[in-house]
Amino acid sequence: MKTKDILQETFMALKGNKVRSGLTMLGIVIGIASVIAMTAIGAGAQSSISASIQSIGANLIIVSPGAPRGVGQQVNQGRGSAKTLTMEDANALTALSGVKAVTAEVTGRYQVTAKGTNTNTSVDGVTSTYTEVRNLQIDQGDFISDSQNQSGAKVAVIGPTVQTDLFGEGTDVIDKTIRIKGTQFKIIGLTKAKGGSGFQNADDMIYIPLITAQRYFSGDQYVSSISVAAESADVTTAVQENITSVLLARHNIADATSADFSTMNQADIIATASSVTGTFTILLAAVAGISLIVGGIGIMNMMLTTVTERTREIGLRKAIGAKRKDINRQFLIEAVMLTFIGGVVGVLLGWGVSMGVTALGVLQTKVSISSVLLAFGVSAFIGIVFGYYPAQRASKLNPIEALRYE
């Protein structure tokens, strides 16, 4: 039996049962579309998180107070819960080889008010080098200076989200005043929109001098964290090791496992975040893939029904010379054709859903060619696996008994 004849017969068979064929393919369509969409969303989330972490600074090393934990635990448990780091520790790190800049922070979340408005946001006590370490740019006014830090001046630099919440979007905020936990501050600068980062939303922040934050809010000389910018990615690991050695010596700790601080760099954070998002992507794709199995069972059910309905046809084909392999191939191709068409529609639907998510601004998705090829491969595999038994059953029918079938 020629391939052209088989394809023609397959087309006619599927066309003859349009509704049933469409419903059978629906499971495959939903499964493939779900897998495509979930992997695209997962890949997009991974890229977004990586870019967001990169935006907090270049070649960044963060020193946090408290005993070392896993990288993921550090990120989840936040900063500043322990009090073991001081500004003197930060100053000691500036002299290390390969260090570009160092800044210390005192972070807290407080109620902030302006004329008739209020918001609850993060207030970060920082030094003048913060903009260099954290890639922060000023849109209007100036950032905090060394002299303002040393004198404990009541000045503030706010993010665009804070500007909108307190004064309205586009309002000139320079020289206006706000109250942070009842203490009045003068706004001297507005930062450029930056977006969220792995630790905080830089747009929803208020920056004040570190000494001021210690004096009016934390009430002690400790800092919440120390951020170090290495000169290049090549020296980041060496700088991180030197930071550990210097702080161990300053804190009189002989055993590194007993350190009262922990260090991590961007590579650590990105690796952990990528691992987490990768695991969730696989989990979501696996859940979506269950519908493919359901779709495959649907195809087997349809093909078995088709074999029963076309028993006399099969008997007639065999009687006029059709071989067992011809019958087997015909029904197998019908099953594969169902999954192939379903796979094409599923890929288009999944691609459309992914583009829709991106267009709505929910998340930047990323459809990969590998996921599309995988979807086609899976759909063809399902067609072969779940179509094999009905095809074998059809090919084994006795032509005389088949012709007698009513």
Side-chain angles (χ1 to χ4, degrees):
M1 194 172 183
K2 295 181 180 180
T3 303
K4 180 181 178 181
D5 295 331
I6 293 177
L7 292 176
Q8 186 176 3
E9 289 293 334
T10 299
F11 176 75
M12 294 301 294
L14 297 180
K15 185 179 178 180
N17 296 281
K18 294 179 182 178
V19 176
R20 187 165 64 186
S21 298
L23 292 175
T24 303
M25 287 189 293
L26 188 60
I28 299 297
V29 171
I30 294 174
I32 294 296
S34 299
V35 171
I36 293 289
M38 290 300 102
T39 53
I41 290 172
Q46 187 169 335
S47 298
S48 177
I49 291 172
S50 297
S52 184
I53 294 173
Q54 291 286 3
S55 72
I56 66 177
N59 309 316
L60 189 65
I61 302 166
I62 298 176
V63 185
S64 303
R69 305 182 183 95
V71 176
Q73 291 175 299
Q74 288 176 347
V75 173
N76 292 332
Q77 296 196 16
R79 302 174 294 164
S81 57
K83 295 185 176 182
T84 58
L85 299 176
T86 64
M87 189 61 203
E88 287 71 25
D89 291 329
N91 292 334
L93 301 180
T94 59
L96 290 176
S97 175
V99 170
K100 181 181 179 182
V102 179
T103 187
E105 299 175 57
V106 175
T107 305
R109 194 170 186 88
Y110 306 104
Q111 191 72 18
V112 182
T113 60
K115 290 183 180 180
T117 57
N118 70 89
T119 186
N120 188 284
T121 189
S122 295
V123 178
D124 209 358
V126 298
T127 63
S128 61
T129 54
Y130 184 89
T131 53
E132 183 179 7
V133 175
R134 289 301 189 93
N135 287 340
L136 189 68
Q137 296 181 326
I138 299 299
D139 188 30
Q140 299 176 24
D142 302 300
F143 197 69
I144 297 162
S145 65
D146 288 333
S147 60
Q148 289 169 332
N149 213 327
Q150 292 169 3
S151 63
K154 297 178 185 178
V155 295
V157 177
I158 68 174
T161 301
V162 178
Q163 173 198 28
T164 301
D165 291 344
L166 294 179
F167 302 101
E169 187 175 358
T171 304
D172 183 8
V173 296
I174 304 303
D175 293 333
K176 291 186 181 294
T177 59
I178 57 175
R179 285 187 174 273
I180 305 174
K181 202 179 177 181
T183 303
Q184 184 170 294
F185 285 79
K186 178 183 177 181
I187 299 175
I188 62 171
L190 174 70
T191 64
K192 287 186 178 181
K194 187 178 181 181
S197 74
F199 295 95
Q200 59 201 7
N201 185 346
D203 293 347
D204 191 19
M205 292 285 294
I206 296 177
Y207 305 95
I208 64 175
L210 186 142
I211 299 298
T212 306
Q214 291 177 327
R215 182 178 300 170
Y216 293 98
F217 303 130
S218 67
D220 54 43
Q221 79 278 19
Y222 296 104
V223 298
S224 301
S225 66
I226 298 172
S227 299
V228 181
E231 292 179 349
S232 68
D234 296 334
V235 300
T236 299
T237 302
V239 170
Q240 186 174 2
E241 293 174 353
N242 291 337
I243 289 172
T244 301
S245 299
V246 169
L247 292 181
L248 286 174
R250 284 186 55 80
H251 295 188
N252 297 315
I253 299 174
D255 186 3
T257 59
S258 301
D260 57 0
F261 63 90
S262 58
T263 63
M264 59 181 174
N265 58 45
Q266 285 172 308
D268 296 331
I269 305 170
I270 292 173
T272 300
S274 297
S275 175
V276 172
T277 54
T279 301
F280 275 106
T281 300
I282 293 172
L283 177 62
L284 291 172
V287 172
I290 293 175
S291 60
L292 287 174
I293 299 176
V294 176
I297 294 173
I299 287 175
M300 179 183 285
N301 181 61
M302 176 189 170
M303 295 308 298
L304 286 173
T305 303
T306 301
V307 169
T308 302
E309 291 178 347
R310 296 164 64 185
T311 299
R312 287 178 62 84
E313 176 191 332
I314 295 169
L316 181 60
R317 288 179 182 274
K318 282 195 167 186
I320 61 176
K323 298 179 181 179
R324 177 176 172 180
K325 66 177 183 179
D326 294 326
I327 302 297
N328 183 53
R329 186 166 52 177
Q330 179 182 349
F331 281 87
L332 190 58
I333 287 178
E334 285 186 21
V336 173
M337 186 63 71
L338 277 172
T339 55
F340 180 78
I341 296 173
V344 172
V345 176
V347 168
L348 295 176
L349 179 60
W351 203 308
V353 170
S354 302
M355 296 302 102
V357 171
T358 300
L360 292 173
V362 178
L363 183 70
Q364 289 294 320
T365 58
K366 187 177 180 182
V367 178
S368 63
I369 298 299
S370 60
S371 64
V372 174
L373 295 177
L374 177 63
F376 276 117
V378 169
S379 63
F381 177 76
I382 287 175
I384 294 172
V385 170
F386 288 94
Y388 181 78
Y389 174 68
Q392 283 288 308
R393 183 175 175 179
S395 67
K396 291 179 180 178
L397 285 176
N398 188 297
I400 296 176
E401 293 181 0
L403 287 171
R404 290 176 179 174
Y405 184 81
E406 295 294 338

